Amino acid sequence: MFGALLLGACWAHAEPGQHWHAAGPDEKPWSASIAQEVQEFAVEQKPTAIMVVRDDDIVASFGDLGTKVNVRSVRKSLLSALYGIAVEEGRIKLDSTLAALEIDDIPPALSAAEKTATVRQLLMARSGVYHLAAYETSEMKRLRPARESHPPGSFWYYNNWDFNALGTIYRRSVDEVFASFEKRIARPIGMEDFSAYDGLYLGESSSVHRAYLFRMSARDLARFGLLFLNGGRWNGAQLVPSKWVTDSTSRLSETEQPGRGYGYLWWTFSSVRSGVSGFYAVGYGGQLVVVVPSKHLVFVELVDLALNRTGVRTQRFLDLVSKISAAVP
């Protein structure tokens, strides 16, 4: 699993203070060409904001880094961090079943076989529960397998039912998601913009399990990416267990997309052409936090879909990530 190798090879990283420092060409001569790449990409793709961070410095950026947008499915990787803490504290057990946790849904309710799915399998998008879910894209609905077509653990499918049910389990077992994220993650790492009021639960008649939506800024998401680059540590404090960071960002499942894998609510990628590997959180329309541990880099892209309705394709930004990463010494 490449995630363990990369994280183990990294040295200790610095963290930004109250505000980010922008490093210019005088400090990092190689940053001028990167800034040009980011500018050209932004003119073409029209994101709301982009950040390229190395350790505690911004080496290139575009747009308003403090603008908050709905980060869509990036929410799942944010929840993964909270799960790592909860598992370490013994408040959630990875091998607990849905039956043991009394998790069900509206008719047609879950079968006995579906209720054998575990928390671990939900985190891996391998529950085998193909009930209707809130906040699904049309593609999710189109690709959803038939109920009970795959036993729990046997098949990977990017499944909003799994992700939303994990939110329910967290609320029942630990605390309200947004307040918990503010207390356990946002405040300790010095997020400048996020508060629990930037969270919203979205329910639909298709399921009892609500989606948990986050509005966040690029500069706050860069801190979150840096936290995972640093193995879950911030200013000497282990906020997220290091083993969880390694496990959750490792390729635990293959996906239908070449070069991309899935861990615990995080994606992984590996480019044969550039030799660049890493992990990322991604949301519909171009919301991304990408970490390249071998180069000590964090990339963030946000797209306000009210202003850019077509968004930015994930692969386009990953291509930019690979190009920049390959050029960084």
Side-chain angles (χ1 to χ4, degrees):
M1 297 175 187
F2 76 87
L5 293 174
L6 289 176
L7 286 168
C10 290
W11 61 66
H13 302 288
E15 297 91 9
Q18 183 178 2
H19 303 292
W20 288 93
H21 168 68
D26 291 342
E27 297 174 73
K28 291 180 169 61
W30 43 266
S31 67
S33 61
I34 291 174
Q36 182 65 29
E37 292 280 1
V38 168
Q39 181 66 28
E40 291 176 359
F41 179 91
V43 168
E44 178 184 347
Q45 298 295 320
K46 297 178 175 56
T48 299
I50 293 177
M51 287 180 72
V52 181
V53 169
R54 194 177 201 195
D55 295 327
D56 57 344
D57 292 331
I58 300 173
V59 297
S61 66
F62 169 85
D64 186 347
L65 305 183
T67 295
K68 291 183 281 192
V69 305
N70 177 1
V71 298
R72 309 276 171 160
S73 288
V74 170
R75 67 189 179 98
K76 298 154 191 176
S77 301
L78 303 177
L79 184 66
S80 177
L82 293 179
Y83 260 79
I85 298 168
V87 169
E88 175 79 4
E89 293 176 348
R91 303 175 80 171
I92 296 177
K93 299 186 185 308
L94 291 179
D95 294 324
S96 293
T97 65
L98 297 179
L101 294 167
E102 299 183 346
I103 295 295
D104 207 332
D105 213 323
I106 63 173
L110 302 193
S111 69
E114 288 173 322
K115 289 183 181 181
T116 65
T118 65
V119 171
R120 188 191 309 274
Q121 289 164 346
L122 269 65
L123 289 163
M124 297 172 69
R126 286 180 167 272
S127 74
V129 178
Y130 306 128
H131 193 285
L132 298 178
Y135 208 53
E136 289 186 301
T137 64
S138 58
E139 185 178 27
M140 285 177 170
K141 294 175 181 177
R142 179 176 61 84
L143 296 175
R144 182 192 295 112
R147 294 284 294 271
E148 297 194 78
S149 57
H150 302 284
S154 67
F155 184 75
W156 183 87
Y157 160 68
Y158 189 72
N159 188 1
N160 259 23
W161 192 92
D162 291 5
F163 310 138
N164 295 343
L166 285 167
T168 299
I169 293 168
Y170 188 87
R171 291 197 305 275
R172 290 182 183 179
S173 303
V174 185
D175 197 359
E176 195 276 320
V177 170
F178 307 116
S180 191
F181 187 84
E182 181 180 12
K183 176 183 177 182
R184 305 303 296 265
I185 303 291
R187 287 180 184 171
I189 68 176
M191 286 188 176
E192 298 179 61
D193 306 303
F194 179 80
S195 79
Y197 295 106
D198 292 309
L200 171 69
Y201 291 110
L202 179 66
E204 296 181 14
S205 60
S206 57
S207 173
V208 298
H209 305 294
R210 296 177 294 170
Y212 39 92
L213 310 186
F214 283 78
R215 292 179 66 253
M216 298 190 75
S217 67
R219 62 191 180 191
D220 281 355
L221 283 178
R223 287 178 184 262
F224 182 71
L226 189 58
L227 173 67
F228 269 67
L229 175 64
N230 290 353
R233 292 182 66 80
W234 197 275
N235 287 333
Q238 192 71 48
L239 302 182
V240 181
S242 60
K243 185 177 186 304
W244 184 266
V245 173
T246 298
D247 291 348
S248 63
T249 60
S250 293
R251 188 188 300 268
L252 303 178
S253 297
E254 298 299 321
T255 73
E256 74 281 358
Q257 302 178 61
R260 300 190 199 178
Y262 204 72
Y264 292 151
L265 306 183
W266 282 90
W267 293 82
T268 69
F269 75 98
S270 180
S271 171
V272 174
R273 182 175 60 185
S274 66
V276 174
S277 298
F279 56 90
Y280 63 102
V282 60
Y284 177 80
Q287 328 307 328
L288 284 122
V289 183
V290 187
V291 181
V292 180
S294 64
K295 294 298 181 78
H296 322 294
L297 291 169
V298 174
F299 300 78
V300 175
E301 176 187 64
L302 289 181
V303 180
D304 185 341
L305 295 175
L307 302 176
N308 179 353
R309 294 189 178 184
T310 59
V312 179
R313 289 183 58 214
T314 297
Q315 190 57 55
R316 291 283 290 131
F317 191 67
L318 290 180
D319 288 344
L320 178 68
V321 166
S322 293
K323 187 175 184 179
I324 290 175
S325 298
V328 170

